[in-house]
Amino acid sequence: MAHRRTFLQRIAALPLIGGFAGKGSAAPVVSKPRDVIRELGVRTFINAAGTYTALTSSLMPAEVMEAMTAASKHFVSLHEMQDKVGERIATLLGAEAAMVTSGAAGALTIGTAACLTGTNAKAIQQLPDLTGLKSEVLIQKSHRYGYDHAVRATGIRMVEIETVEEFEKAVNPAKSAMMLFFNDAEPKGRIDAAGWVALGRKHGIPTFNDASADVPPVTNLTKYTKMGFDLVTFSGGKGICGPQSAGMLAGRKDLIQAARLNTAPYSDSLARGMKVNKEDMAGMLVALELYTQRDHEAQWKDWESRVKTIVTAVSNVPTVETSVLIPAIANHTQHLSIRWDQSRIKISPPDVMKKLREGQPSIEACPMTNSDQLVFTVWMMQPGEDAIVARRVREILSA
Ligand SMILES: *Cc1c(COP(=O)(O)O)cnc(C)c1O
């Protein structure tokens, strides 16, 4: 008790913490937030690349950060936070249920785990040991991709098929736990999204669509749940501009419940390490709300005008040709390709990319840049940055 009193007295004797930072000055000093990126000298740049994880993907609108800061000021039950945020997100995604995950990759892992364990406590504790459980995920060969590692992390084996006939031979009621669909690969596969759902329904196997990078268009947010996929995931920090470490898993109520049991705050779970904090949950919800309310047509026109700024700047540089490609599914936004006669302008696109990076301000071009073309996207640029990029590219190509 004596100890506690001394402590309280000491606290009382302290000046208002942070209120009077200036030595000997009576005037309160408004403290500036620390800028750690600046302090450490970490390079910042104009993002003319796109939503690349290693380039920190997207910037959160101020409202998102404010919601996260507000959330940071209270203790809450993490379960209750996930319940309530999940309900709102489910409504916006047109799903029965939803939750915030540690990115779309986290959603792939716990969504698969949910299909393997349901709400069976023993099975949940046992993962990634699949003894006595189903152990296979069906996938079209052309849908295999790097992120399926997050699905394999549960211990399952991928069973590759190409045609419906092959599917019917490979499907096994005792072993098939889930059917994974990589949304961006739809045009490459023999079985389309609706066909995949129909096969899942026929055999009673849950279907999971990874549509992580597939907004815009905003209509995709509800399209795949409506189509009948049992689970769908979107990244939080890509086109939706939420927290980069957040994502969403939406779908059947029983599966979302099972997914939650396979991750934090449950300690004895496969994905305990894929924790989501309350700030990310708050930020994810607000980012999604802002995204759904945005004037998408106006934004598209704004992106077009940014592309035009760059095109106009380089169009009269001799031999330069530009074209715009809009991928049909993932990263559905303008990709500006710039080509030139490299026997006349003697610099390669990767070398232009390097010069842009080393310039002031630094600019990151799209990693799709190769020896034939320099590529930019404009959707992650901040207002006015298109003009800076336009001027720098023109300078480099005219030199
Ligand atoms: C980006 C991406 C992921 C991973 O998303 P995170 O939110 O970074 O975890 C998974 N699948 C696809 C297809 C992606 O494009």
Side-chain angles (χ1 to χ4, degrees), residues 65-277:
M65 279 310 300
E66 284 158 12
M68 291 173 75
T69 304
S72 77
K73 298 188 194 299
H74 308 281
F75 287 102
V76 297
S77 150
L78 202 56
H79 295 292
E80 188 189 353
M81 186 76 180
Q82 183 74 281
D83 285 345
K84 302 221 161 122
V85 167
E87 247 172 61
R88 287 258 202 120
I89 289 179
T91 305
L92 290 167
L93 300 183
E96 217 174 84
M99 66 182 292
V100 182
T101 58
S102 60
L108 289 172
T109 303
I110 64 172
T112 308
C115 296
L116 291 165
T117 66
T119 54
N120 180 328
K122 193 175 150 283
I124 289 167
Q125 283 165 20
Q126 179 190 312
L127 288 189
D129 172 3
L130 299 176
T131 311
L133 304 176
K134 291 178 180 171
S135 59
E136 293 178 351
V137 168
L138 290 149
I139 188 168
Q140 295 180 70
K141 198 171 186 173
S142 54
H143 286 228
R144 290 302 306 270
Y145 65 138
Y147 292 107
D148 71 38
H149 201 141
V151 171
R152 288 185 286 115
T154 58
I156 62 91
R157 190 174 75 84
M158 288 287 187
V159 176
E160 294 178 6
I161 56 98
E162 284 185 83
T163 61
V164 173
E165 293 68 39
E166 284 175 20
F167 177 91
E168 295 290 356
K169 271 191 210 141
V171 70
N172 180 333
K175 288 189 178 173
S176 310
M178 194 181 90
M179 293 164 56
L180 180 63
F181 193 85
F182 173 26
N183 203 46
D184 189 26
E186 182 175 27
K188 288 192 240 160
R190 303 268 196 95
I191 308 169
D192 67 6
W196 199 245
V197 168
L199 282 173
R201 288 268 167 91
K202 178 178 169 199
H203 292 276
I205 304 169
T207 49
F208 190 166
N209 191 354
D210 178 357
S212 297
D214 304 352
V215 279
V218 63
T219 47
N220 277 358
L221 287 174
T222 52
K223 179 175 173 183
Y224 304 108
T225 34
K226 266 192 205 132
M227 199 180 266
F229 277 96
D230 298 291
L231 290 170
V232 181
T233 183
F234 295 100
S235 278
K238 291 181 181 167
I240 299 168
C241 297
Q244 204 201 344
S245 50
M248 296 176 292
L249 179 64
R252 250 167 57 190
K253 200 167 188 165
D254 62 318
L255 289 177
I256 298 300
Q257 191 195 352
R260 282 180 61 175
L261 294 172
N262 274 288
T263 187
Y266 300 101
S267 311
D268 195 351
S269 65
L270 177 81
R272 172 60 179 81
M274 299 179 193
K275 178 165 61 182
V276 180
N277 60 44

Side-chain angles (χ1 to χ4, degrees), residues 256-309:
I256 298 300
Q257 191 195 352
R260 282 180 61 175
L261 294 172
N262 274 288
T263 187
Y266 300 101
S267 311
D268 195 351
S269 65
L270 177 81
R272 172 60 179 81
M274 299 179 193
K275 178 165 61 182
V276 180
N277 60 44
K278 64 180 184 295
E279 292 80 8
D280 272 7
M281 291 181 190
M284 186 68 256
L285 172 62
V286 173
L288 180 64
E289 283 179 357
L290 287 173
Y291 185 75
T292 52
Q293 289 157 11
R294 195 172 293 170
D295 182 344
H296 295 275
E297 235 172 82
Q299 182 166 60
W300 191 265
K301 286 206 180 104
D302 184 36
W303 293 344
E304 278 178 343
S305 108
R306 294 177 190 183
V307 168
K308 197 165 163 230
T309 305

Side-chain angles (χ1 to χ4, degrees), residues 338-351:
I338 306 178
R339 296 163 194 264
W340 55 91
D341 180 347
Q342 292 179 45
S343 68
R344 295 204 32 213
I345 301 176
K346 289 192 167 48
I347 183 166
S348 72
D351 283 342

